[in-house]
Amino acid sequence: MAGGGGRLRVYLGAAPGVGKTYAMLAEGRRLSAGGLDVVVGLVETYGRRGTEEQLGDLPVVPRRAARHRGAALTELDLDAVLARRPALALVDELAHTNVPGSRNTKRWQDVGELLGAGIDVATTLNIQHLESLSDVVEQITGIVQHEQIPDAVVRAADRIELVDLSPAALRARMAQGDVYPSDRIDVALDNYFRAGNLGALRELALLWLADRVEEELADYRARHGIRAPWETKERIVVALNGAPQGEHLLRRGARTAARVHGDLIGVHVRADDGTLQPEPPGLAAQRALLRELHGSYVELSGTDAARTLVDFARTESATQILLGPTGRSRLRELLTGSVINRVIRLAGPIDIRILPPPSPDQVALPGAPRLRRPARVPARRRRAGWLLGPLVAVALAAALSPLRASLGLSGVLLWLLLLVAGVAGLGGLAPAAGTTLVAALAADYFFTVPWHSLVIGHGADIAPLLVFLCVAGIISHLIDGLTRRSQEAARARAEAHALTRLAGETVRGEGRTLRSLLAELRRVFGLEAAGILAPTGDGWRPVAASGGPLPARPEDAPFAAELDQGTVLVLLGPAIDEENTRLLGPFVTQLRLAEEHERLTREAAAAHALARTDALHTTLLEAVAHDLRGPLAAIRAAAALLDSPGPAAGTDRRACAEAIAAETGRLDHSVANLLAMSRLRAGRVPVALRPTAVAEVLHAAVASLPGTGTGTELALGRTGQLPLVQADPGLLERALANVLANARAWSPPGAVVRIDAGAVADRVDVRVVDHGPGIAAEERERLFQPLRGHRVQPGGARGTGTGFGLAVAKGFVEAMHGELSVEDTPGGGATFVFSLRRADR
């Protein structure tokens, strides 16, 4: 865009009114005071006093006059600015569309010509006009942006300055009339300039600008050959291989990224060996978890997983790499090397964190050692003992056979005895016994006469062989006993740890849920499933469970134990032996306590709900009495005047009759609200949802109020353009009428209650705005309860009004799947917001 030597400076804002033009003019005045030739090509002040004052005495190029459809318009006089050739031209609203027939369609194209002529340009832009963000802005504000500008045009600017203003400050400027005229303030604040919209647009602007800064930093590092990561922003790379500990790594990485406001990236490296490999079973779940944690997922392929991972981390300027424990066996690590060690060697300045498996203290309970039986040994070690012991015994005897003259039978038996001890420690008693027998036969074959036969030619050789068999058996038995004692100690430690944890939680008063206790019980005992069954009239129902499906009856489970109030604990999995039963007792006790705690919690919640209901009923009766007593007292007074024989009665009978009619209407309205509240609380409100025109219902609601001509103004704006909503017209009219009556009752004499409506995304918002006394924050939750709503009176006094009707309105709106909320009106007052679903979405 800047084809010549001109430089572009953009003042970027999140929304109109943040001060972009003011900042641009202030910079222009500063540069002009320093001797730079600055002219104003085009500036839109919109009548804002501060902007006009900032324009000051800067030279202004007259605008070019144009006409379109009979209207007189003005545009930037591009030729005049080019002829003037200033050092800096100030051109407002970069995304503006020129009048048809102009040389360029868009103003940014005019700016491109100025830059091409070597003229520096300062301009302004709102974030909603960027082409890449148009769909996001429409989703946030519900408004389609027709004036858009390509992102590349703005990204090519030499300088982009964000003019930032908080949503609260901008809304305050709006309320003070510093942005729009007074007749547009309420509509703007209730629609585009809502606090939520402004906050989202502000975040968009900050993120877009941060992304551009990151691109510039990456280009700078590439131009200067800088490969080491700069810790401008934390980026945490988590290596994923589908192993179960991957979820633990992701959660730890997400917590770290959240603390430092960094990025989380999950990386899986596939082996690039030309074969089609299935995806690891846990990888899909880890991708889903990564999306929930607002991280990004990347899949790479490479022959060297460590180098591929580190190269990616360098490319992304990662500051940390999180690794879990390797799933490779020690043999494979010896043959192919350790991935973790290679990552550490290649990472350089990148921090490497190796996390242990999650919750190492909550592993399964070791199996109980078998009394008077060989110690339990893992199957893999037992198979290794059976495979290696006999083979090594034969190989060792054959290797030592050339030394039979000097070594003798006794010498080789000592070597074989050492082998038997090793096999007993590796695979247990049975492989050691088999190795002993094979070793004795191998010694006989290679070291007794006649050689290479199992015949013993000299009787003196029998004694060493028998001693070898006895000593080997004794050593194997002793080693097996040591293994059993070690297993007993490990199990005792695990039991003590589990009991200590349970006892500590009991002492601290920490209530454990049934589900968490069952999960820990299943984990400690290595069970397939654990659950609690409660009796019903015709069978059993599961109360809580962990693991696989539970049996239909306690009799179908391998283990069952009665808990409290007829419930039964059922366990599926390995049989619970005597040793496990000893530890199971404290768990059963904790489950009974947890059941009791949950029962008491339910009873306390029911009692609290009952007490609250009683309080609400009492307050409801007071509110009803208040609402009925007023009209009845007025009717009684008017009737007394009618019956009085004095002259006042004769002259004022019409007024008394009108008063009786008005108060009867109020009484009828209160009774209708009472009946509606009863139906709401009973859940018997008939709702007939259908596409409904909001404008028609609004007019009907306003017309239904008595005396609407004196205090309520209907200001809808573009009512004909509002989409239909999914609503029950009768219920919606009643809800609107109740809220309007409440707003008018609390508005000062002569004030106006405004009604605004507008489409926002997939909903239509109807806002009832009054400028009466506000609503205290602590009262908002109570406002829609079936009791009297409290308004804050000027000077801090409280008054009571019929908030009873507000509870009915909220119930009706929620029955139509909508929302009714209340917020502050800028300048004082309350704004009730009806949020209704669009019928076309």
Side-chain angles (χ1 to χ4, degrees):
M1 176 175 173
R7 294 174 298 177
L8 177 63
R9 177 183 303 173
V10 177
Y11 291 87
L12 181 67
V18 297
K20 303 179 302 297
T21 305
Y22 188 94
M24 180 183 69
L25 291 173
E27 181 67 8
R29 288 172 60 86
R30 186 185 67 81
L31 294 175
S32 178
L36 191 70
D37 184 15
V38 180
V39 301
V40 176
L42 186 144
V43 165
E44 300 287 359
T45 64
Y46 296 108
R48 298 168 187 167
R49 186 175 63 256
T51 305
E52 292 174 348
E53 293 175 352
Q54 194 64 30
L55 183 60
D57 56 355
L58 285 173
V60 179
V61 176
R63 301 190 184 195
R64 175 178 60 86
R67 297 192 65 83
H68 178 61
R69 294 180 179 177
L73 304 173
T74 59
E75 289 289 358
L76 170 68
D77 194 338
L78 179 59
D79 292 329
V81 178
L82 289 172
R84 174 70 168 72
R85 295 194 63 82
L88 175 65
L90 308 181
V91 181
D92 212 359
E93 297 187 354
L94 183 63
H96 172 76
T97 301
N98 291 332
V99 174
S102 301
R103 184 161 68 192
N104 295 311
T105 305
K106 298 287 187 177
R107 184 166 293 165
W108 62 264
Q109 295 170 326
D110 294 340
V111 169
E113 289 197 31
L114 295 177
L115 296 172
I119 302 173
D120 292 350
V121 177
T123 186
T124 63
L125 179 71
N126 286 325
I127 193 69
Q128 66 262 28
H129 296 298
L130 287 170
E131 195 172 51
S132 66
L133 301 178
S134 59
D135 56 338
V136 182
V137 172
E138 181 182 356
Q139 182 181 5
I140 293 171
T141 64
I143 298 175
V144 179
Q145 296 293 334
H146 297 288
E147 291 186 333
Q148 299 179 13
I149 182 171
D151 288 46
V153 174
V154 187
R155 289 186 183 274
D158 298 274
R159 175 179 170 185
I160 300 178
E161 182 173 330
L162 180 67
V163 182
D164 190 28
L165 196 63
S166 69
L170 179 54
R171 285 174 60 86
R173 289 193 63 196
M174 292 283 297
Q176 294 168 5
D178 294 340
V179 179
Y180 287 156
S182 58
D183 59 340
R184 297 177 56 190
I185 292 176
D186 286 337
V187 176
L189 287 173
D190 293 339
N191 291 278
Y192 190 89
F193 287 85
R194 290 182 298 172
N197 287 0
L198 296 178
L201 293 173
R202 186 189 189 199
E203 185 174 358
L204 272 181
L206 292 169
L207 290 174
W208 188 90
L209 192 60
D211 184 55
R212 181 180 183 273
V213 171
E214 186 175 340
E215 288 181 359
E216 292 179 351
L217 181 61
D219 292 341
Y220 176 84
R221 294 178 60 220
R223 289 196 307 270
H224 292 78
I226 300 172
R227 292 180 56 82
W230 284 358
E231 298 185 14
T232 54
K233 184 177 184 180
E234 290 285 340
R235 288 182 178 83
I236 300 170
V237 172
V238 179
L240 302 175
N241 58 2
Q245 64 266 21
E247 295 187 4
H248 173 61
L249 292 177
L250 289 174
R251 296 186 190 280
R252 285 287 297 273
R255 288 196 295 269
T256 303
R259 283 195 297 267
V260 298
H261 303 286
D263 296 333
L264 178 66
I265 307 173
V267 178
H268 173 65
V269 180
R270 288 183 176 272
D272 189 10
D273 54 5
T275 62
L276 183 61
Q277 298 178 348
E279 182 178 271
L283 198 58
Q286 291 169 12
R287 281 199 302 266
L289 176 61
L290 193 58
R291 287 193 297 269
E292 294 178 8
L293 298 174
H294 305 291
S296 57
Y297 174 78
V298 177
E299 191 165 297
L300 308 171
S301 60
T303 55
D304 188 341
R307 184 172 293 278
T308 303
L309 179 64
V310 173
D311 288 345
F312 172 80
R314 284 204 186 98
T315 302
E316 294 294 319
S317 295
T319 55
Q320 296 183 37
I321 298 178
L322 266 61
L323 301 171
T326 179
R328 296 184 172 189
S329 64
R330 294 184 179 180
L331 179 61
R332 186 178 178 187
E333 284 194 353
L334 289 175
L335 296 176
T336 62
S338 169
V339 174
I340 293 178
N341 290 339
R342 279 188 53 77
V343 170
I344 294 174
R345 286 195 299 269
L346 296 172
I350 303 176
D351 294 341
I352 306 297
R353 296 175 60 193
I354 304 172
L355 302 183
S359 303
D361 57 337
Q362 297 181 1
V363 296
L365 190 69
R370 300 174 294 186
L371 299 177
R372 295 180 296 276
R373 296 183 63 186
R376 287 190 178 95
V377 178
R380 187 176 65 177
R381 287 172 51 188
R382 190 168 57 250
R383 287 193 298 268
W386 276 114
L387 178 65
L388 296 177
L391 290 178
V392 173
V394 174
L396 181 61
L400 295 176
S401 61
L403 303 176
R404 65 170 67 95
S406 58
L407 193 60
L409 180 61
S410 299
V412 75
L413 290 176
L414 290 176
W415 282 99
L416 293 173
L417 189 62
L418 180 63
L419 172 65
V420 171
V423 173
L426 173 66
L429 189 59
T435 302
T436 300
L437 181 59
V438 172
L441 294 174
D444 177 23
Y445 186 82
F446 288 104
F447 282 86
T448 62
V449 179
W451 318 120
H452 304 129
S453 74
L454 298 178
V455 178
I456 302 176
H458 299 292
D461 292 336
I462 297 177
L465 290 173
L466 292 177
V467 170
F468 168 76
L469 290 173
C470 293
V471 173
I474 293 171
I475 290 176
S476 299
H477 181 72
L478 291 175
I479 292 176
D480 180 74
L482 291 175
T483 303
R484 187 184 299 109
R485 299 295 182 274
S486 176
Q487 292 175 350
E488 290 175 352
R491 180 179 175 85
R493 285 195 301 269
E495 289 181 358
H497 187 77
L499 292 174
T500 302
R501 192 165 58 248
L502 289 175
E505 290 165 356
T506 304
V507 171
R508 292 192 300 269
E510 296 179 359
R512 292 285 297 273
T513 64
L514 289 175
R515 184 180 296 275
S516 66
L517 280 171
L518 290 172
E520 184 166 353
L521 178 65
R522 186 171 66 92
R523 182 172 52 250
V524 167
F525 290 99
L527 302 172
E528 297 175 5
I532 297 176
L533 299 179
T536 60
D538 54 352
W540 298 82
R541 64 177 180 87
V543 176
S546 175
L550 297 177
R553 301 178 305 166
E555 296 82 4
D556 299 334
F559 178 88
E562 186 174 352
L563 295 178
D564 193 15
Q565 296 184 346
T567 58
V568 177
L569 169 67
V570 294
L571 304 178
L572 295 179
I576 303 295
D577 54 22
E578 182 180 352
E579 293 292 329
N580 288 333
T581 304
R582 182 183 62 190
L583 181 60
L584 190 60
F587 276 95
V588 172
T589 302
Q590 283 287 352
L591 287 169
R592 289 171 177 164
L593 292 175
E595 273 194 330
E596 181 70 11
H597 180 267
E598 290 192 0
R599 183 181 63 81
L600 293 176
T601 301
R602 289 194 299 268
E603 292 179 358
H608 177 73
L610 183 60
R612 188 173 177 219
T613 301
D614 290 340
L616 288 177
H617 285 168
T618 301
T619 312
L620 176 61
L621 290 175
E622 293 178 358
V624 172
H626 176 274
D627 290 347
L628 298 181
R629 190 180 295 117
L632 287 175
I635 292 173
R636 187 181 299 111
L641 286 175
L642 287 174
D643 291 339
S644 63
T651 59
D652 209 17
R653 289 181 180 276
R654 179 182 293 274
C656 290
E658 291 176 353
I660 291 174
E663 296 302 328
T664 303
R666 285 181 56 194
L667 188 62
D668 180 68
H669 187 72
S670 297
V671 172
N673 274 338
L674 179 60
L675 294 175
M677 177 60 68
S678 301
R679 290 197 300 271
L680 281 171
R681 296 182 67 84
R684 297 180 179 177
V685 177
V687 181
L689 297 178
R690 63 174 183 267
T692 303
V694 176
E696 295 178 4
V697 178
L698 286 173
H699 283 285
V702 173
S704 68
L705 298 177
T708 54
T710 60
T712 304
E713 175 185 340
L714 181 61
L716 297 180
R718 302 174 301 159
T719 56
Q721 300 178 7
L722 287 176
L724 300 178
V725 299
Q726 197 73 11
D728 183 314
L731 294 184
L732 182 57
E733 178 186 338
R734 181 69 177 280
L736 285 166
N738 281 0
V739 172
L740 285 169
N742 181 276
R744 192 179 60 176
W746 284 102
S747 295
V752 174
V753 175
R754 298 183 60 86
I755 308 170
D756 298 322
V760 181
D762 61 342
R763 308 184 76 82
V764 172
D765 284 356
V766 179
R767 308 172 72 85
V768 178
V769 184
D770 69 58
H771 293 279
I775 302 174
E778 65 271 12
E779 298 294 335
R780 292 193 179 182
E781 292 186 4
R782 300 175 55 196
L783 183 62
F784 293 121
Q785 297 295 332
L787 48 85
R788 291 169 295 176
H790 299 285
R791 288 293 187 92
V792 178
Q793 299 282 19
R798 285 183 181 274
T800 57
T802 53
F804 178 40
L806 296 180
V808 174
K810 184 175 178 64
F812 283 169
V813 173
E814 290 180 348
M816 295 181 289
H817 309 294
E819 295 179 3
L820 176 58
S821 58
V822 61
E823 58 188 42
D824 291 332
T825 300
T831 298
F832 295 88
V833 183
F834 293 77
S835 187
L836 307 169
R837 293 191 307 174
R838 290 176 57 165
D840 56 351
R841 297 293 176 90

